[in-house]
């Protein structure tokens, strides 16, 4: 297949590009600053049509991962950039598809599991899950994240693409041993004896191992019955306290200093990010994938954590 990855230079895009290139597919990453890679990179500004649009004509799959990082303070300027970068890229790809003689047969659009409500009582699947934004006493920053997710998906729904199957991937955090990824950051805390619970530790963590994320993407490409929003998350979310305890156990560390809510808030302010990334409860399950027969290689965090720790060790340089 020919697979086009707009915004594919980040962690998740690299995971997919690396896999699809290694398995013999033609991979094209669209990015603002193309860098030398084993696969092709093509320049675009994510704002206007240009020669890059020719890459979509005759491609089999487009996986749009464009979006300004949410790892920042939600200032008015950052909020505007976060939403506009996502919505405009969707609109732009829709314009390019409309001009294609042979548009891709599948469009996988990045979305987020954060779209669901902060809750503890029951898991959120695609059918019965509660979309967030109306939780009592929810901080404004949490409501903004819901606005981002819903605006993203509304933009996809608005694109007229009769020859292209569209899927919104409501993904949980994708964990791989790659440096500077989410797992690397979490493991860094554990290695420094700082990997305790955050806040009261009761908030749920939804996650997915990189191997299952890749397999889920392949499954969605191949299964013509799959469309609309699809949760990509391991079927066993767990509380933050348990998540960190299992990670400490997998690494071989008995203790992790907990961080009270005020400490999380202060740390987020110091790091110019938002505490929502840690404190919001994300209890998400992959209803559609399981119903369609998808099998997870790592459904449990215990096995996933052991695998990721071992692979991180194997790839670690001596100086680390």
């Amino acid at each position: 297949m020919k697979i086009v990855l707009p915004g594919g230079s980040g962690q998740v895009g690299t995971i997919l590009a690396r896999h699809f290139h290694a398995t013999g597919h033609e991979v094209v990453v669209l990015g603002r600053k193309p860098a030398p890679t084993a696969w092709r990179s093509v320049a675009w500004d994510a704002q206007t049509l240009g020669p890059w649009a020719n890459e979509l004509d005759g491609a089999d799959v487009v996986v749009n991962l464009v979006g300004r990082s949410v790892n920042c303070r939600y200032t008015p300027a950052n909020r505007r950039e976060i939403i506009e970068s996502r919505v405009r890229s969707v609109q732009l790809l829709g314009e390019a598809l409309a001009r294609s003689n042979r548009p891709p047969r599948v469009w996988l659009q990045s979305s987020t599991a954060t779209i669901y409500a902060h809750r503890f009582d029951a898991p959120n699947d695609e059918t019965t899950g509660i979309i967030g934004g109306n939780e009592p006493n929810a901080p404004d920053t949490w409501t903004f994240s819901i606005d981002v997710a819903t605006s993203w998906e509304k933009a996809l729904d608005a694109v007229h693409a009769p020859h292209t199957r569209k899927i919104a991937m409501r993904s949980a955090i994708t964990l791989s041993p790659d440096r500077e990824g989410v797992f690397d950051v979490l493991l860094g805390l554990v290695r420094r004896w700082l990997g305790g619970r955050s806040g009261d530790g009761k908030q749920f963590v939804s996650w997915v191992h990189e191997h299952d994320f890749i397999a889920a993407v392949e499954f969605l490409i191949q299964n013509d019955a799959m469309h609309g929003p699809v949760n990509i998350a391991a079927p066993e979310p767990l509380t933050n306290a348990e998540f960190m305890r299992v990670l400490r156990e997998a690494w071989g560390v008995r203790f992790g200093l907990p961080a009270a809510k005020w400490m999380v808030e202060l740390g987020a302010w110091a790091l110019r990010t938002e505490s929502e990334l840690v404190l919001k409860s994300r209890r998400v399950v992959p209803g559609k994938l399981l119903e369609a027969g998808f099998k997870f290689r790592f459904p449990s965090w215990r096995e996933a954590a052991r695998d990721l720790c071992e692979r991180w060790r194997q790839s670690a340089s001596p100086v680390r």
Side-chain angles (χ1 to χ4, degrees):
M1 297 183 294
K2 179 180 179 181
I3 302 171
V4 181
L5 299 171
S9 59
Q11 181 205 3
V12 173
T14 299
I15 287 171
L16 290 177
R18 186 169 58 205
H19 169 77
F20 284 124
H21 175 76
T23 50
H25 300 291
E26 180 184 358
V27 176
V28 180
V29 169
L30 304 183
R32 294 177 184 272
K33 298 179 180 180
T37 57
W39 43 86
R40 277 203 302 128
S41 295
V42 174
W44 80 327
D45 61 5
Q47 294 289 328
T48 56
L49 287 172
W52 62 266
N54 296 328
E55 299 293 343
L56 295 178
D57 200 342
D60 297 284
V61 181
V62 58
V63 184
N64 183 25
L65 303 169
V66 175
R68 187 206 190 281
S69 173
V70 296
N71 187 17
C72 63
R73 297 298 287 178
Y74 291 166
T75 64
N78 286 343
R79 291 184 186 218
R80 184 171 58 254
E81 289 182 16
I82 287 170
I83 289 185
E84 289 182 355
S85 64
R86 286 160 171 76
V87 171
R88 179 53 188 153
S89 72
V90 173
Q91 295 171 338
L92 188 60
L93 288 171
E95 295 170 16
L97 261 63
R99 300 187 180 197
S100 298
N101 294 318
R102 295 177 298 158
R105 59 184 178 84
V106 185
W107 179 349
L108 301 181
Q109 172 60 47
S110 181
S111 184
T112 173
T114 299
I115 197 170
Y116 293 108
H118 169 77
R119 60 190 298 206
F120 306 89
D121 57 332
N124 292 295
D125 64 16
E126 301 91 338
T127 303
T128 63
I130 299 174
I131 302 300
N134 296 313
E135 299 94 323
N137 302 317
D140 171 68
T141 51
W142 294 24
T143 303
F144 168 70
S145 293
I146 304 301
D147 292 340
V148 171
T150 53
S151 297
W152 220 352
E153 294 192 7
K154 286 178 181 177
L156 180 66
D157 291 340
V159 173
H160 181 66
H163 304 294
T164 302
R165 179 165 51 91
K166 297 183 295 182
I167 297 172
M169 301 187 297
R170 293 177 177 172
S171 302
I173 52 171
T174 301
L175 301 177
S176 77
D178 295 296
R179 295 302 178 265
E180 299 184 5
V182 176
F183 179 78
D184 188 43
V185 172
L186 293 173
L187 185 61
L189 294 174
V190 168
R191 291 166 54 231
R192 294 169 179 83
W193 302 86
L194 299 173
R197 69 177 185 274
S198 297
D200 62 14
K202 295 179 181 179
Q203 69 273 28
F204 277 83
V205 178
S206 285
W207 57 277
V208 64
H209 190 288
E210 68 164 325
H211 290 333
D212 285 324
F213 178 79
I214 291 168
V217 168
E218 291 182 320
F219 186 85
L220 294 175
I221 291 172
Q222 297 164 2
N223 193 325
D224 292 337
M226 304 295 287
H227 61 88
V230 176
N231 294 346
I232 302 182
E236 299 179 17
L238 65 172
T239 65
N240 169 269
E242 182 68 5
F243 182 89
M244 296 307 297
R245 187 193 68 78
V246 172
L247 180 54
R248 294 196 304 270
E249 179 183 275
W251 187 252
V253 172
R254 293 184 178 182
F255 174 77
L257 186 68
K261 182 179 179 181
W262 69 266
M263 297 171 66
V264 175
E265 298 285 1
L266 181 61
W269 177 83
L271 295 171
R272 307 303 299 160
T273 188
E274 293 289 345
S275 63
E276 178 212 17
L277 302 176
V278 177
L279 296 179
K280 179 177 177 178
S281 184
R282 295 170 174 83
R283 192 176 182 184
V284 180
V285 292
K288 283 188 175 180
L289 284 174
L290 293 176
E291 290 173 6
F294 180 79
K295 303 295 184 183
F296 282 84
R297 179 176 170 185
F298 293 98
S300 166
W301 175 230
R302 186 178 304 279
E303 286 70 31
R306 288 173 179 170
D307 174 80
L308 292 168
C309 285
E310 179 60 28
R311 291 168 59 211
W312 193 97
R313 281 191 172 98
Q314 291 175 357
S315 61
S317 62
V319 295
R320 293 180 71 95

